[in-house]
mmCIF file with all atom_site columns, all heavy atoms in Angstrom:
data_model
loop_
_atom_site.group_PDB
_atom_site.id
_atom_site.type_symbol
_atom_site.label_atom_id
_atom_site.label_alt_id
_atom_site.label_comp_id
_atom_site.label_asym_id
_atom_site.label_entity_id
_atom_site.label_seq_id
_atom_site.pdbx_PDB_ins_code
_atom_site.Cartn_x
_atom_site.Cartn_y
_atom_site.Cartn_z
_atom_site.occupancy
_atom_site.B_iso_or_equiv
_atom_site.pdbx_formal_charge
_atom_site.auth_seq_id
_atom_site.auth_comp_id
_atom_site.auth_asym_id
_atom_site.auth_atom_id
_atom_site.pdbx_PDB_model_num
ATOM 1  N N   . GLY A 1 79 ? 2.125  46.093 -47.321 1.00 89.00 ? 79 GLY A N   1
ATOM 2  C CA  . GLY A 1 79 ? 2.444  47.428 -46.804 1.00 89.00 ? 79 GLY A CA  1
ATOM 3  C C   . GLY A 1 79 ? 3.007  48.312 -47.907 1.00 89.00 ? 79 GLY A C   1
ATOM 4  O O   . GLY A 1 79 ? 3.186  47.929 -49.042 1.00 89.00 ? 79 GLY A O   1
ATOM 5  N N   . THR A 1 80 ? 3.324  49.534 -47.444 1.00 90.00 ? 80 THR A N   1
ATOM 6  C CA  . THR A 1 80 ? 3.864  50.513 -48.410 1.00 90.00 ? 80 THR A CA  1
ATOM 7  C C   . THR A 1 80 ? 5.315  50.137 -48.736 1.00 90.00 ? 80 THR A C   1
ATOM 8  O O   . THR A 1 80 ? 6.010  49.510 -47.984 1.00 90.00 ? 80 THR A O   1
ATOM 9  C CB  . THR A 1 80 ? 3.841  51.910 -47.763 1.00 90.00 ? 80 THR A CB  1
ATOM 10 O OG1 . THR A 1 80 ? 4.445  51.842 -46.452 1.00 90.00 ? 80 THR A OG1 1
ATOM 11 C CG2 . THR A 1 80 ? 2.427  52.448 -47.622 1.00 90.00 ? 80 THR A CG2 1
ATOM 12 N N   . PRO A 1 81 ? 5.800  50.567 -49.933 1.00 91.00 ? 81 PRO A N   1
ATOM 13 C CA  . PRO A 1 81 ? 7.130  50.240 -50.352 1.00 91.00 ? 81 PRO A CA  1
ATOM 14 C C   . PRO A 1 81 ? 8.192  51.006 -49.562 1.00 91.00 ? 81 PRO A C   1
ATOM 15 O O   . PRO A 1 81 ? 7.996  52.192 -49.203 1.00 91.00 ? 81 PRO A O   1
ATOM 16 C CB  . PRO A 1 81 ? 7.155  50.632 -51.810 1.00 91.00 ? 81 PRO A CB  1
ATOM 17 C CG  . PRO A 1 81 ? 5.718  50.812 -52.198 1.00 91.00 ? 81 PRO A CG  1
ATOM 18 C CD  . PRO A 1 81 ? 4.979  51.204 -50.975 1.00 91.00 ? 81 PRO A CD  1
ATOM 19 N N   . ASP A 1 82 ? 9.294  50.383 -49.365 1.00 90.00 ? 82 ASP A N   1
ATOM 20 C CA  . ASP A 1 82 ? 10.507 51.025 -48.828 1.00 90.00 ? 82 ASP A CA  1
ATOM 21 C C   . ASP A 1 82 ? 11.126 51.799 -49.987 1.00 90.00 ? 82 ASP A C   1
ATOM 22 O O   . ASP A 1 82 ? 11.492 51.227 -51.009 1.00 90.00 ? 82 ASP A O   1
ATOM 23 C CB  . ASP A 1 82 ? 11.443 49.945 -48.329 1.00 90.00 ? 82 ASP A CB  1
ATOM 24 C CG  . ASP A 1 82 ? 12.733 50.534 -47.734 1.00 90.00 ? 82 ASP A CG  1
ATOM 25 O OD1 . ASP A 1 82 ? 12.982 51.737 -47.877 1.00 90.00 ? 82 ASP A OD1 1
ATOM 26 O OD2 . ASP A 1 82 ? 13.510 49.729 -47.175 1.00 90.00 ? 82 ASP A OD2 1
ATOM 27 N N   . PRO A 1 83 ? 11.296 53.132 -49.835 1.00 90.00 ? 83 PRO A N   1
ATOM 28 C CA  . PRO A 1 83 ? 11.859 53.925 -50.912 1.00 90.00 ? 83 PRO A CA  1
ATOM 29 C C   . PRO A 1 83 ? 13.256 53.432 -51.331 1.00 90.00 ? 83 PRO A C   1
ATOM 30 O O   . PRO A 1 83 ? 13.642 53.616 -52.495 1.00 90.00 ? 83 PRO A O   1
ATOM 31 C CB  . PRO A 1 83 ? 11.959 55.335 -50.305 1.00 90.00 ? 83 PRO A CB  1
ATOM 32 C CG  . PRO A 1 83 ? 10.907 55.343 -49.224 1.00 90.00 ? 83 PRO A CG  1
ATOM 33 C CD  . PRO A 1 83 ? 10.908 53.974 -48.661 1.00 90.00 ? 83 PRO A CD  1
ATOM 34 N N   . ALA A 1 84 ? 13.979 52.832 -50.434 1.00 87.00 ? 84 ALA A N   1
ATOM 35 C CA  . ALA A 1 84 ? 15.332 52.393 -50.751 1.00 87.00 ? 84 ALA A CA  1
ATOM 36 C C   . ALA A 1 84 ? 15.339 51.162 -51.660 1.00 87.00 ? 84 ALA A C   1
ATOM 37 O O   . ALA A 1 84 ? 16.328 50.961 -52.418 1.00 87.00 ? 84 ALA A O   1
ATOM 38 C CB  . ALA A 1 84 ? 16.086 52.048 -49.468 1.00 87.00 ? 84 ALA A CB  1
ATOM 39 N N   . THR A 1 85 ? 14.297 50.335 -51.602 1.00 89.00 ? 85 THR A N   1
ATOM 40 C CA  . THR A 1 85 ? 14.289 49.108 -52.382 1.00 89.00 ? 85 THR A CA  1
ATOM 41 C C   . THR A 1 85 ? 13.155 49.053 -53.374 1.00 89.00 ? 85 THR A C   1
ATOM 42 O O   . THR A 1 85 ? 13.225 48.260 -54.330 1.00 89.00 ? 85 THR A O   1
ATOM 43 C CB  . THR A 1 85 ? 14.165 47.896 -51.451 1.00 89.00 ? 85 THR A CB  1
ATOM 44 O OG1 . THR A 1 85 ? 12.921 47.919 -50.785 1.00 89.00 ? 85 THR A OG1 1
ATOM 45 C CG2 . THR A 1 85 ? 15.273 47.847 -50.410 1.00 89.00 ? 85 THR A CG2 1
ATOM 46 N N   . GLY A 1 86 ? 12.099 49.787 -53.132 1.00 91.00 ? 86 GLY A N   1
ATOM 47 C CA  . GLY A 1 86 ? 10.935 49.721 -54.001 1.00 91.00 ? 86 GLY A CA  1
ATOM 48 C C   . GLY A 1 86 ? 9.989  48.565 -53.662 1.00 91.00 ? 86 GLY A C   1
ATOM 49 O O   . GLY A 1 86 ? 8.944  48.438 -54.199 1.00 91.00 ? 86 GLY A O   1
ATOM 50 N N   . HIS A 1 87 ? 10.375 47.758 -52.668 1.00 90.00 ? 87 HIS A N   1
ATOM 51 C CA  . HIS A 1 87 ? 9.545  46.627 -52.249 1.00 90.00 ? 87 HIS A CA  1
ATOM 52 C C   . HIS A 1 87 ? 8.907  46.959 -50.924 1.00 90.00 ? 87 HIS A C   1
ATOM 53 O O   . HIS A 1 87 ? 9.445  47.748 -50.100 1.00 90.00 ? 87 HIS A O   1
ATOM 54 C CB  . HIS A 1 87 ? 10.437 45.374 -52.062 1.00 90.00 ? 87 HIS A CB  1
ATOM 55 C CG  . HIS A 1 87 ? 11.139 44.947 -53.324 1.00 90.00 ? 87 HIS A CG  1
ATOM 56 N ND1 . HIS A 1 87 ? 10.502 44.552 -54.459 1.00 90.00 ? 87 HIS A ND1 1
ATOM 57 C CD2 . HIS A 1 87 ? 12.467 44.873 -53.588 1.00 90.00 ? 87 HIS A CD2 1
ATOM 58 C CE1 . HIS A 1 87 ? 11.337 44.243 -55.367 1.00 90.00 ? 87 HIS A CE1 1
ATOM 59 N NE2 . HIS A 1 87 ? 12.558 44.433 -54.885 1.00 90.00 ? 87 HIS A NE2 1
ATOM 60 N N   . PRO A 1 88 ? 7.715  46.398 -50.621 1.00 91.00 ? 88 PRO A N   1
ATOM 61 C CA  . PRO A 1 88 ? 7.092  46.615 -49.294 1.00 91.00 ? 88 PRO A CA  1
ATOM 62 C C   . PRO A 1 88 ? 8.033  46.239 -48.178 1.00 91.00 ? 88 PRO A C   1
ATOM 63 O O   . PRO A 1 88 ? 8.821  45.282 -48.320 1.00 91.00 ? 88 PRO A O   1
ATOM 64 C CB  . PRO A 1 88 ? 5.854  45.704 -49.343 1.00 91.00 ? 88 PRO A CB  1
ATOM 65 C CG  . PRO A 1 88 ? 5.550  45.595 -50.821 1.00 91.00 ? 88 PRO A CG  1
ATOM 66 C CD  . PRO A 1 88 ? 6.862  45.586 -51.515 1.00 91.00 ? 88 PRO A CD  1
ATOM 67 N N   . TYR A 1 89 ? 7.958  46.921 -47.079 1.00 92.00 ? 89 TYR A N   1
ATOM 68 C CA  . TYR A 1 89 ? 8.840  46.664 -45.921 1.00 92.00 ? 89 TYR A CA  1
ATOM 69 C C   . TYR A 1 89 ? 8.687  45.243 -45.449 1.00 92.00 ? 89 TYR A C   1
ATOM 70 O O   . TYR A 1 89 ? 9.635  44.649 -44.934 1.00 92.00 ? 89 TYR A O   1
ATOM 71 C CB  . TYR A 1 89 ? 8.504  47.645 -44.773 1.00 92.00 ? 89 TYR A CB  1
ATOM 72 C CG  . TYR A 1 89 ? 9.009  49.013 -44.951 1.00 92.00 ? 89 TYR A CG  1
ATOM 73 C CD1 . TYR A 1 89 ? 8.249  49.986 -45.582 1.00 92.00 ? 89 TYR A CD1 1
ATOM 74 C CD2 . TYR A 1 89 ? 10.271 49.376 -44.498 1.00 92.00 ? 89 TYR A CD2 1
ATOM 75 C CE1 . TYR A 1 89 ? 8.698  51.298 -45.750 1.00 92.00 ? 89 TYR A CE1 1
ATOM 76 C CE2 . TYR A 1 89 ? 10.743 50.692 -44.635 1.00 92.00 ? 89 TYR A CE2 1
ATOM 77 C CZ  . TYR A 1 89 ? 9.916  51.640 -45.297 1.00 92.00 ? 89 TYR A CZ  1
ATOM 78 O OH  . TYR A 1 89 ? 10.386 52.930 -45.469 1.00 92.00 ? 89 TYR A OH  1
ATOM 79 N N   . ILE A 1 90 ? 7.519  44.659 -45.633 1.00 93.00 ? 90 ILE A N   1
ATOM 80 C CA  . ILE A 1 90 ? 7.247  43.306 -45.147 1.00 93.00 ? 90 ILE A CA  1
ATOM 81 C C   . ILE A 1 90 ? 7.864  42.242 -45.987 1.00 93.00 ? 90 ILE A C   1
ATOM 82 O O   . ILE A 1 90 ? 7.910  41.049 -45.619 1.00 93.00 ? 90 ILE A O   1
ATOM 83 C CB  . ILE A 1 90 ? 5.710  43.103 -45.019 1.00 93.00 ? 90 ILE A CB  1
ATOM 84 C CG1 . ILE A 1 90 ? 5.390  41.972 -44.033 1.00 93.00 ? 90 ILE A CG1 1
ATOM 85 C CG2 . ILE A 1 90 ? 5.113  42.851 -46.373 1.00 93.00 ? 90 ILE A CG2 1
ATOM 86 C CD1 . ILE A 1 90 ? 5.714  42.272 -42.625 1.00 93.00 ? 90 ILE A CD1 1
#
Side-chain angles (χ1 to χ4, degrees):
T80 50
D82 179 352
T85 65
H87 302 297
Y89 285 90
I90 201 67

